[in-house]
Amino acid sequence: MDLDGARLAVERASVGLAHPAHRAASEQTLIEFRRSPHALPACRHILRTSGVVEACFQASTTLRDAALRDWAALPPEERAGLRQFCLSVLLGSNDNANAAAAPASTMPVVTSQLISVLAVMIKRAWLDVDETSLGTGATQSDYQRVALRVHEHRSRMLAEAEQAVSMSNTPHARVVGLNLFSAVITEFAPSTASPMHLPWDFHERCRVSLQNDFLSAFFSHGVGLAKTAAQTAFAPQGTDDGICVASLRLINTALSWDFQFTGQHGGGFGFGLSDKSAKGENSRASDGLSCDAVKIAPGVGWRDALLLPGAIDWVFTLYASGREAGAASRQSGVASGNTRIKNITSVTANARTAVSNMCALAGDVFPNKTEDPTEQTRRAHFGKCASSLSNALTPARQVVANACAGVGDAEETMADGARSIAALSAIHAPGIFFETSSSSFADTGASPTPLASTLGELTVALLDAGALLLENEGGALDEALRSCMEAWANLAERSRAGQEVGTFVGGGGAVDTDCPFPGQVETSRACAAVFETYLRAGLVAAASAAHEEDDGQEEEGNAGAAALDERLSLAARVGRAAPEESLALLCAAMEGKKNALAQALATQNVDPSETLEELWWLARLTPHVLCDPFEGEFPLPPESIAECTRRWTVNFGDGGNASGQKSPVETASTSYLNVVLLCLDENALAQGAVSPRLIETLCWGASRWVDTYLMPEDVGGSAHASVFGANRPSLSALGLVGDGESRVRGGIAKLANPSPFSEEGGGVHAVDALLKVALVALTRFPGEQSAQRVAAKMLLPALTRRRALCRACGSLESWRSLMECASGALGGMSGGFGNQSVPGSIPTSPTFPPEIHRLLTEA
């Protein structure tokens, strides 16, 4: 084969790809080159001699494809020779000592591709010596001998790369070696593995082998080099030729491994997920119950490498030094494109990622309470993470302002810091967030500021900076705020869950159910303050969006509404941590905006747009706080909301408190229903204040409220049905006095007044009003199918889902009106459409058009 001719052809074709006139011919040439049976020697020749970057890149890609295609036919010496060749090109060495280094070794894009090619070859050769080749008659010593030979084969491939790097003894070679090991980890990870046209079992066995035998060694190798570099003055300044950055990348790549397949409790070959907890695992301190936060759980074998005193302290020090060096460079007026600034930013970014990974450590890597009764190891690690995050994120207003202005890497610092706090909140006990260094972290060098204070300061700063504004949706402020709200929600729910399962043990050694779980009181107070700030900022953002042509949801459709509901559900989780305070705030806001709307409608030349937008936002938020999230079979209120009603009933009975006030849940429900009944206000309808968009949201929220609160049925001793059902229960019915048998058998002595949402109370009136709302939505806005669909397929089914509701509907004139409309649509609707009203008019004898009847039939 004419190697020089092949090189020239590939060079011409590679350059020709950039010219439209030659693209087709160039593509054909390169395809034929890849399919050639002599591609391997041609690729090696091109990489040794060509100075054209495009040709070298094509040769490196073809080298990978050809090697994988011909691997089974290659002898072991040729396979090893391919690896040695890639190493020699990467390190700039040559078989002939007098020959010049390959030009490809100075091309970054080619070296990056060659590193990936070499990692693929290492993986392809990983099972060349197979531990499953023994027959059924093999003895234990045979298996041990083969296992040793397999391990030696795999170790030899990695050792030859490290030996070549050590022999070169240059910073460039060291960086290449570190990047190669990072690429090997990436290649062996299932989610980032290259296609090799091999069974999945091959990839799985490679993954298990690397995780069990080599992954921790890669991590330790990176830690050793990074720690040595960090102890010099060059690494924070980015002047160590990239060794520190490459080492940090290797560390972060190792920690990004999917450790869920640890095999500790799973099945063979690592396919089985670990059991949720082993026996006795309830002695574990704090690992999250259920959360979406990313957790890194490498297992007990990594404990010394990650948690021994001094093992990772240098990471936090390096991160702080990098931030200081970057700030000093910016203050001195160095341009952002300066090489020194770029190097410092790279070091800081990788150190920040390492800190984020440390914040996500979870699982068996921490000793359980049996091994460490005082949890000193966990507390010390948390203190280091909390101190680093507090120093990076305070003062929060300055960090947020710098992020908005695009100063340096402030945006990444803010976003990664918020995500790291959210990860910590999903892993560690809530109480530790409110402790200071003087109480828990005295020996860790932690910041005296509790991490909860940093989180609160950042949350408020984000809200004040306009994170909820439409213009910031999907941006850095929005994402950081979402992480902060998730952190607060995690703390709130985990403190409540800890109280429920009785994990707090009193001084006598027994579970103390009356004493608050550590951090529960502080979390509730903080969440109340955060929710108040969120509510205020949300109303401001809603008012500012009133004059926008598009609020983002019309354009995005259901996806936009789902994104908004996701954000509001996070805020609702925070608000439910302190239901008495949060529901009072919602009531005051709804009443205030409803009164403001009435005043605006009664005054000439006053635009009610902002008030209506605020009402719409409140109408969307309130059901998230009050109502069932539809995650279970039976609609039930959120646990903290039900507990709030239970406390109020126990303390004040059915007559309210000394001032005559009803329970916060009852008051909030009444306020919300008053907002929903705006749909029946003829003045508001006539002036166009009740838009199809508003009535759609009100019907959506009303359906959730009906399913949760209106005439609930007892589904087997439900305390919810006892509180909101036909009558209010006695203390024994609530399970507060007497033994368990008496509670089940008869604690049903009823109080005098029925629940306001029961069939005997005001439930029938609520059903009547909501039926009228549904009728307005179906008849007053012809052509508005979205609002009509919600009324027909959500609100009306909710109003007829239970027997008590059906009894109430059957006796109401509003229900008969609905049936007459449906009957008119079913029985010959000619002439009926002429009675369809226009928005703002009062329908005389409305008849449903066919599409409405179809919606009702489908529902």
Side-chain angles (χ1 to χ4, degrees):
M1 181 181 182
D2 184 4
L3 296 180
D4 287 330
R7 173 178 61 80
L8 292 174
V10 171
E11 288 178 348
R12 285 195 299 268
S14 301
V15 175
L17 286 175
H19 302 282
H22 307 296
R23 177 181 292 274
S26 299
E27 289 177 347
Q28 185 63 33
T29 300
L30 293 175
I31 290 174
E32 293 176 357
F33 174 61
R34 290 195 179 190
R35 294 173 177 173
S36 169
H38 307 291
L40 284 176
C43 290
R44 297 173 72 160
H45 180 70
I46 292 171
L47 288 170
R48 282 198 192 100
T49 60
S50 178
V52 179
V53 176
E54 294 85 350
C56 290
F57 181 82
Q58 292 292 338
S60 60
T61 303
T62 303
L63 181 67
R64 178 194 60 199
D65 297 342
L68 291 176
R69 182 190 64 210
D70 302 337
W71 192 265
L74 295 177
E77 298 78 11
E78 181 66 16
R79 299 174 185 177
L82 286 175
R83 297 195 302 271
Q84 292 292 342
F85 167 75
C86 291
L87 278 172
S88 66
V89 174
L90 287 169
L91 299 178
S93 58
N94 202 306
D95 298 336
N96 185 352
N98 297 323
S105 63
T106 62
M107 304 172 184
V109 66
V110 177
T111 57
S112 177
Q113 180 70 7
L114 270 179
I115 287 174
S116 175
V117 171
L118 181 53
V120 169
M121 290 183 183
I122 290 175
K123 181 176 180 178
R124 184 61 183 86
W126 201 254
L127 301 184
D128 283 356
V129 179
D130 193 357
E131 68 269 28
T132 63
S133 59
L134 293 174
T136 55
T139 63
Q140 183 178 2
S141 60
D142 293 332
Y143 279 104
Q144 292 175 346
R145 184 174 62 256
V146 171
L148 180 61
R149 188 167 71 250
V150 168
H151 185 77
E152 290 176 349
H153 163 70
R154 296 167 182 173
S155 300
R156 191 182 308 115
M157 287 190 294
L158 301 175
E160 70 183 13
E162 178 59 24
Q163 183 179 3
V165 168
S166 300
M167 290 178 62
S168 295
N169 196 27
T170 62
H172 168 74
R174 179 56 63 192
V175 170
V176 167
L178 290 166
N179 289 338
L180 172 60
F181 292 152
S182 297
V184 168
I185 297 174
T186 302
E187 185 59 46
F188 277 67
S191 60
T192 51
S194 300
M196 295 183 177
H197 306 290
L198 293 170
W200 180 251
D201 176 69
F202 175 88
H203 297 276
E204 182 63 16
R205 289 168 62 192
C206 289
R207 181 198 65 77
V208 172
S209 172
L210 189 83
Q211 175 176 294
N212 293 340
D213 299 330
F214 298 97
L215 189 60
S216 60
F218 283 142
F219 177 81
S220 299
H221 178 65
V223 167
L225 292 174
K227 188 174 182 180
T228 301
Q231 292 173 346
T232 68
F234 301 106
Q237 301 293 331
T239 56
D240 65 336
D241 298 307
I243 294 178
C244 187
V245 170
S247 302
L248 288 170
R249 285 176 182 163
L250 176 57
I251 293 170
N252 293 328
T253 304
L255 290 177
S256 66
W257 185 265
D258 188 0
F259 287 103
Q260 64 173 327
F261 299 103
T262 58
Q264 296 177 24
H265 307 296
F269 293 104
F271 278 108
L273 286 172
S274 299
D275 295 337
K276 290 186 181 291
S277 62
K279 291 183 178 180
E281 197 65 8
N282 57 354
S283 63
R284 179 163 300 288
S286 341
D287 280 358
L289 302 169
S290 62
C291 180
D292 294 334
V294 174
K295 298 177 184 177
I296 299 175
V300 179
W302 290 62
R303 185 177 296 171
D304 291 346
L306 290 168
L307 299 179
L308 278 181
I312 58 169
D313 294 1
W314 60 270
V315 173
F316 302 105
T317 304
L318 180 63
Y319 181 37
S321 301
R323 291 198 320 273
E324 293 172 359
S329 298
R330 287 190 295 271
Q331 290 176 359
S332 63
V334 179
S336 59
N338 184 273
T339 302
R340 182 166 174 267
I341 286 289
K342 290 182 178 179
N343 292 337
I344 294 174
T345 301
S346 181
V347 171
T348 306
N350 284 276
R352 182 174 61 247
T353 302
V355 170
S356 298
N357 288 331
M358 298 305 164
C359 293
L361 290 180
D364 293 338
V365 70
F366 293 108
N368 59 32
K369 285 188 175 181
T370 302
E371 299 168 323
D372 185 7
T374 63
E375 296 186 300
Q376 188 58 37
T377 301
R378 179 185 289 270
R379 287 174 172 270
H381 178 75
F382 179 89
K384 297 169 187 175
C385 296
S387 177
S388 179
L389 294 175
S390 294
N391 292 333
L393 296 174
T394 53
R397 292 189 182 276
Q398 185 63 46
V399 172
V400 173
N402 289 341
C404 294
V407 176
D409 59 349
E411 183 176 308
E412 292 79 5
T413 299
M414 176 187 68
D416 287 347
R419 278 192 293 267
S420 298
I421 295 179
L424 289 171
S425 70
I427 297 168
H428 298 275
I432 202 172
F433 277 74
F434 297 89
E435 298 177 0
T436 61
S437 61
S438 59
S439 58
S440 299
F441 316 125
D443 298 328
T444 65
S447 169
T449 303
L451 187 57
S453 297
T454 301
L455 175 59
E457 184 181 346
L458 179 61
T459 307
V460 173
L462 289 166
L463 289 169
D464 290 345
L468 294 180
L469 293 175
L470 184 61
E471 63 198 48
N472 291 321
E473 184 175 348
L477 294 181
D478 183 27
E479 293 300 323
L481 178 62
R482 187 174 305 187
S483 297
C484 291
M485 298 301 288
E486 183 180 348
W488 285 118
N490 290 340
L491 293 176
E493 293 173 357
R494 299 193 65 220
S495 63
R496 176 174 174 78
Q499 182 73 13
E500 288 178 350
V501 300
T503 54
F504 178 58
V505 179
V511 173
D512 188 352
T513 57
D514 293 327
C515 184
F517 188 78
Q520 186 173 13
V521 175
E522 296 88 344
T523 300
S524 297
R525 291 173 181 168
C527 286
V530 168
F531 185 78
E532 180 179 7
T533 307
Y534 188 96
L535 182 62
R536 185 172 60 249
L539 291 172
V540 171
S544 68
H547 304 289
E548 297 286 343
E549 293 183 1
D550 178 23
D551 67 351
Q553 285 139 50
E554 284 82 356
E555 182 179 344
E556 298 173 16
N558 293 333
L564 174 64
D565 285 335
E566 182 184 354
R567 290 192 293 271
L568 293 181
S569 65
L570 267 180
R573 290 168 60 193
V574 177
R576 288 196 294 266
E580 288 88 351
E581 294 84 353
S582 300
L583 293 179
L585 290 169
L586 282 174
C587 288
M590 286 187 288
E591 293 296 332
K593 299 307 173 184
K594 188 172 179 292
N595 294 335
L597 177 62
Q599 183 177 358
L601 295 177
T603 307
Q604 293 183 351
N605 300 325
V606 175
D607 184 6
S609 300
E610 292 186 1
T611 304
L612 284 169
E613 195 67 26
E614 291 169 332
L615 266 176
W616 180 89
W617 188 81
L618 287 170
R620 200 79 189 183
L621 171 63
T622 304
H624 283 289
V625 179
L626 269 180
C627 303
D628 178 70
F630 297 116
E631 294 176 351
E633 182 177 358
F634 298 103
L636 293 173
E639 294 177 351
S640 58
I641 298 295
E643 179 64 21
C644 172
T645 303
R646 174 183 175 275
R647 285 196 304 267
W648 190 275
T649 304
V650 170
N651 293 332
F652 304 111
D654 58 342
N657 62 11
S659 303
Q661 295 176 336
K662 301 298 183 181
S663 76
V665 178
E666 182 179 330
T667 305
S669 295
T670 303
S671 297
Y672 183 71
L673 287 179
N674 287 335
V675 173
V676 174
L677 295 184
L678 276 173
C679 302
L680 306 181
D681 187 335
E682 290 298 339
N683 182 37
L685 285 168
Q687 297 192 45
V690 180
S691 64
R693 176 170 171 264
L694 177 60
I695 200 170
E696 177 187 349
T697 294
L698 292 175
C699 288
W700 167 84
S703 67
R704 289 186 63 167
W705 181 86
V706 169
D707 267 335
T708 308
Y709 292 103
L710 192 57
M711 302 184 192
E713 295 177 347
D714 194 338
V715 292
S718 167
H720 172 51
S722 298
V723 173
F724 294 109
N727 291 299
R728 297 183 188 273
S730 65
L731 298 184
S732 58
L734 286 169
L736 299 179
V737 297
D739 57 15
E741 183 179 355
S742 67
R743 297 174 200 165
V744 175
R745 183 178 63 247
I748 51 174
K750 306 296 172 91
L751 298 178
N753 297 332
S755 165
F757 311 132
S758 67
E759 192 173 4
E760 290 81 1
V764 176
H765 298 294
V767 171
D768 185 35
L770 293 174
L771 285 173
K772 293 176 180 177
V773 169
L775 187 59
V776 168
L778 293 171
T779 60
R780 298 293 286 266
F781 300 95
E784 295 291 344
Q785 294 188 10
S786 182
Q788 293 166 351
R789 184 179 295 106
V790 172
K793 304 189 74 170
M794 293 186 68
L795 181 54
L796 286 178
L799 287 169
T800 56
R801 211 183 307 277
R802 291 190 280 268
R803 288 171 294 178
L805 291 169
C806 292
R807 285 195 301 268
C809 289
S811 62
L812 293 173
E813 185 65 29
S814 54
W815 178 257
R816 283 190 286 273
S817 299
L818 274 169
M819 293 302 98
E820 290 173 3
C821 293
S823 299
L826 188 61
M829 298 166 287
S830 59
F833 302 122
N835 293 326
Q836 289 300 307
S837 56
V838 296
S841 66
I842 301 175
T844 54
S845 97
T847 301
F848 292 154
E851 61 269 18
I852 302 270
H853 180 70
R854 185 179 70 251
L855 290 174
L856 291 172
T857 304
E858 292 173 354

